[in-house]
Every structure is written in C-alpha cells, then in structure tokens.
Amino acid sequence: LFRRLFDWAFGGVFAPHPHVHVDTNGIMTDAGSSNRKVAFLHAYSALLDNFKALMTPYLSIVLEPLLSVLDAFVGESEEEEEDGSLWAAALDVLAKSMAVDEGAFWRADKLAKTLPRVVAQTPVAAELGEDGEAALAAALSALCGALTDDAQVKSLNLSLLMHTRDEEARVR
C-alpha cells in the first residue's frame, strides 16, 4: 500500500493514468503532481508520528525524490519552487524521520548526502518567511541530533556559517 501511494505521488511503475509524463529521473511532472506529493508527504509524516522508527526504513524509497524536491527549490527553473507547502512537507518528513530513527537508517553515508541539501535551503526559508524558517530550523535541529561524526558536525557548522556572508540580510 505504501509503495502504491508513493508511485501515485512521485510516479513510477504504478503511474495512475497514461497522460502522466514521467521524466528521465522517474519523477512525475503533470500539473497535479505537486498536490499528490504534498498529500503523500503528509500521510508519511503522520505514519512517522504514529509508528516512529518502524517507518524509517521506508525512507529508502522516498529519500532520492525528497532530495530532488529540495534541489528543485534551490534551482530556479523547476515548477516546485513555487509551492512552499511541498517544501515544508519534505523538510518535515526529513526532520521527523531523523528524530525517530534509532540508528538503522540515518547512517553517515545518507547524512552526508542529505546535509548539504538541507543547509542549501537557507535562502528558500528566508524567502518563505517565518513558516519557512521554522521548518528549516526543525530540520536542522533533527539533523544535528542525527550526526555522529565530528567531521560532519564541522561540515554543518561551516556550511551554516558561510550563509552569514550572504548578501541578503534575511538569509544571514
């Protein structure tokens, strides 16, 4: 059931109808896909709330599309950039999964892949205002709690400090 819901939201083997375009990354790009992604991420967030660490292994299916969503907000050409609810839902799922994980999923390799993408969301959070800043703060807090390697903690600190040099005051 989880996999079918994921495929409905992000495309894949069980794409819901033939008029849906799936790009080269396997991500669905029709007009309603952003709403489906938000609905899926809210459902997954609720599952994380209820079942805690039992749901974190399912993130192995969801992680790459989640990171693609975050990358789209940093890039300027993607349509997802306009939908702050998708961005907030993606960060919420990442934060909750890191908070409830018992060390089985969020290991150094996945954290190393995720860390720069979450930190890169700082300008996006500044654009979205207080709600964006709160969502990013929760994700960064959970990320800090999940880091176990001193080198990754140093990388996080350095990346965040580099944003203090940004030209836009709200980002600083």
Side-chain angles (χ1 to χ4, degrees):
L1 184 59
F2 181 86
R3 180 60 194 219
R4 298 226 9 153
L5 185 60
F6 169 79
D7 286 339
W8 167 77
F10 286 93
V13 179
F14 303 110
H17 32 74
H19 302 295
V20 171
H21 172 69
V22 178
D23 69 10
T24 57
N25 295 327
I27 305 298
M28 202 172 352
T29 59
D30 69 323
S33 70
S34 180
N35 293 334
R36 285 193 296 273
K37 290 174 187 174
V38 170
F40 170 78
L41 292 173
H42 284 304
Y44 187 47
S45 178
L47 289 170
L48 283 166
D49 285 338
N50 289 325
F51 297 112
K52 309 272 186 240
L54 291 174
M55 291 306 296
T56 52
Y58 289 98
L59 197 61
S60 62
I61 300 168
V62 181
L63 185 60
E64 285 303 321
L66 267 184
L67 296 178
S68 296
V69 165
L70 293 180
D71 290 343
F73 279 91
V74 175
E76 296 178 354
S77 63
E78 298 290 330
E79 67 184 40
E80 281 104 350
E81 186 175 348
E82 300 171 6
D83 189 3
S85 60
L86 176 58
W87 180 82
L91 283 180
D92 181 54
V93 165
L94 285 175
K96 284 182 181 179
S97 68
M98 287 179 204
V100 300
D101 185 47
E102 296 171 347
F105 182 79
W106 286 109
R107 294 179 313 270
D109 58 330
K110 292 192 175 67
L111 288 168
K113 185 179 354 177
T114 305
L115 186 145
R117 289 169 163 159
V118 171
V119 173
Q121 302 305 309
T122 304
V124 178
E127 280 182 31
L128 294 175
E130 290 182 19
D131 292 337
E133 292 168 2
L136 182 61
L140 286 172
S141 176
L143 182 61
C144 288
L147 293 176
T148 56
D149 184 17
D150 287 340
Q152 287 180 331
V153 173
K154 184 178 178 180
S155 173
L156 174 65
N157 287 334
L158 181 62
S159 298
L160 285 174
L161 286 173
M162 293 306 287
H163 283 291
T164 62
R165 297 180 178 180
D166 198 286
E167 292 179 12
E168 188 177 334
R170 186 146 177 108
V171 172
R172 286 181 276 179

